[in-house]
Amino acid sequence: MIPVKGYSGQKVAVLGLGRSGLTTARALRAGGAEPVCWDDNPAARETAEGEGFVCADLRRQGAFEGVSALIVSPGIPHLYPEPNPVVAAAIEAGVPVDNDIGLFFRSFAGPEWDEFDTAPRVVAVTGSNGKSTTAALIHHILTESGRPSQLAGNIGRGVLDIEPGADGSVVVLELSSYQTELARALTPDIAVFTNLSPDHLDRHGGMGGYFAAKRRLFAEGGPDRAVIGVDEKEGAFLAGQMSEGAADDRVIRVSVTRKLTGPGWQVFARKGFLSEYRKGRQAGSIDLRPIKGLPGAHNHQNACAAYAACRALGLAPKAIEAALHSYPGLPHRSQIIAEAGGVTYVNDSKATNVDSAIKALSAFKRVRWICGGLEKEGGLAALNDAVGEVIKAYVIGREAAAFAMQLKVEAEVCTTMAAAVERAVAEAQEGETVLLAPAAASFDQYDSFERRGEDFVAEVTRRLAE
């Protein structure tokens, strides 16, 4: 655990008592603060009280008298579409609002670091798509290379639940826009921006607010090195803002759409080959095509970003290449779950928006596509430019018929996962891929994309066993 610094003897309010909220309360208490907790869910309050925490209704008049700060869990809105009433009350009372990420960055370093040969480093990864895979891949490469590493944030453990930094250790954080937009301290050693596509726009008041939330990771803390995907205009703009000139190698530009040139530091992938150039000369090359855990151009982008971050940490290209080949992939992200009768079954339940579904579709040939769910802003029109390899779509979700009508490909309304898998398995031929890439949120039928993916895996397993 990372004891929170700066609040010893002070009351600190904690709103939201899920995984991150309860961990935050423990870390505050470990640092000498007096947490005052609240969650609208009585069961969550009961759990906190069982650990000896004081729970008090932060919605009541005068709740913030004598409170030094309010720490908010990431799922709770503080501005758009409407601020949570407790957050609004804290702001009105002049109480600073922060989250566990901000507490981590202000508390992680300690005086014992003066005795280390190599100070601990923090790598923080954000972006719309691929940040989980990129963060997990960096962690995997470090571990395989013998560097002590911890994976935390939006993946793995909560940031305040990890072990204190050790000599030469690295903490790899995946950070969502919900986490970066509110943290009062953001000071990673290396910051990674994968890409940007529309998502969570209601929470951020539009695309500009969404990009601004991501940009804070770079603008607030000024990382020693910035790894930035430049295939979208926002990434190219961010790289330009962070750089002092074309030869400034504090910025490592990443692309999977073109060869990058110039005197700076670039990592790009073309036709399945990763290349690193520095000061106009090639410094490394890896054939990504045989790596099963990283199929498709979107995963090649993740590999480029992870490679760049690890190179910035001093790892050799050969060590990174060896670790890439042993990477198993993450559940629900282009996860090959079965191969039977010449048919490959792939679970990409994490493809919860149109852009991520397009990337999943582009990674495979001759696709029988299971899609549908709670449609997000922006519609599905962009999908129709990416369905060239789709033989047939099998549409799930409560609004499956309306979803199917927007697709310019043969589509069967199945509604349930069981029906979709049954039909896809029955019709799939040798050399084809049955792909779950919903292009939509799961909440019309499931409580998470993980649960949706698990249902897909269970149905495929059941059908193949028959």
Side-chain angles (χ1 to χ4, degrees), residues 315-338:
L315 273 66
K318 288 297 183 184
I320 298 172
E321 181 176 8
L324 289 178
H325 279 276
S326 63
Y327 178 66
L330 283 177
H332 316 297
R333 298 161 176 86
S334 296
Q335 176 193 17
I336 298 174
I337 60 168

Side-chain angles (χ1 to χ4, degrees), residues 172-372:
V172 184
L173 302 180
E174 180 204 336
L175 299 181
S176 71
S177 56
Y178 289 7
Q179 294 168 311
T180 59
E181 69 174 343
L182 192 59
R184 295 174 70 88
L186 283 169
T187 54
D189 298 285
I190 298 171
V192 180
F193 177 89
T194 58
N195 52 56
L196 197 78
S197 62
D199 208 359
H200 310 304
L201 299 189
D202 58 337
R203 172 66 179 261
H204 299 294
M207 196 68 177
Y210 179 47
F211 176 52
K214 302 287 190 184
R215 181 183 174 276
R216 288 191 77 245
L217 181 63
F218 300 81
E220 293 293 318
D224 296 335
R225 281 253 157 69
V227 176
I228 301 176
V230 296
D231 287 338
E232 293 85 30
K233 61 184 178 181
E234 292 88 356
F237 177 79
L238 179 60
Q241 283 199 311
M242 297 298 295
S243 174
E244 293 295 332
D248 186 356
D249 67 0
R250 293 174 303 171
V251 176
I252 308 176
R253 290 170 170 83
V254 168
S255 175
V256 288
T257 63
R258 65 192 189 279
K259 178 179 179 179
L260 298 176
T261 59
W265 198 348
Q266 299 98 13
V267 178
F268 57 89
R270 297 180 70 202
K271 298 181 180 180
F273 286 88
L274 179 154
S275 296
E276 175 193 2
Y277 277 77
R278 194 170 186 183
K279 297 180 180 179
R281 296 182 179 181
Q282 188 167 12
S285 178
I286 298 174
D287 184 357
L288 300 172
R289 295 172 301 173
I291 301 175
K292 279 199 168 184
L294 297 167
H298 63 304
N299 275 310
H300 294 173
Q301 183 184 55
N302 300 334
C304 286
Y307 175 96
C310 290
R311 289 288 284 138
L313 288 167
L315 273 66
K318 288 297 183 184
I320 298 172
E321 181 176 8
L324 289 178
H325 279 276
S326 63
Y327 178 66
L330 283 177
H332 316 297
R333 298 161 176 86
S334 296
Q335 176 193 17
I336 298 174
I337 60 168
E339 293 177 302
V343 179
T344 302
Y345 296 85
V346 179
N347 168 24
D348 204 329
S349 184
K350 185 61 172 67
T352 58
N353 58 42
V354 166
D355 186 67
S356 56
I358 289 172
K359 290 174 178 175
L361 288 169
S362 69
F364 302 98
K365 303 294 185 183
R366 299 175 62 191
V367 174
R368 293 192 179 272
W369 177 31
I370 298 177
C371 58

Side-chain angles (χ1 to χ4, degrees), residues 406-430:
Q406 298 181 65
L407 301 178
K408 293 182 180 179
V409 66
E410 181 185 353
E412 180 175 341
V413 176
C414 297
T415 306
T416 67
M417 185 68 74
V421 170
E422 178 184 16
R423 296 292 297 145
V425 170
E427 295 181 355
Q429 303 294 315
E430 184 176 353

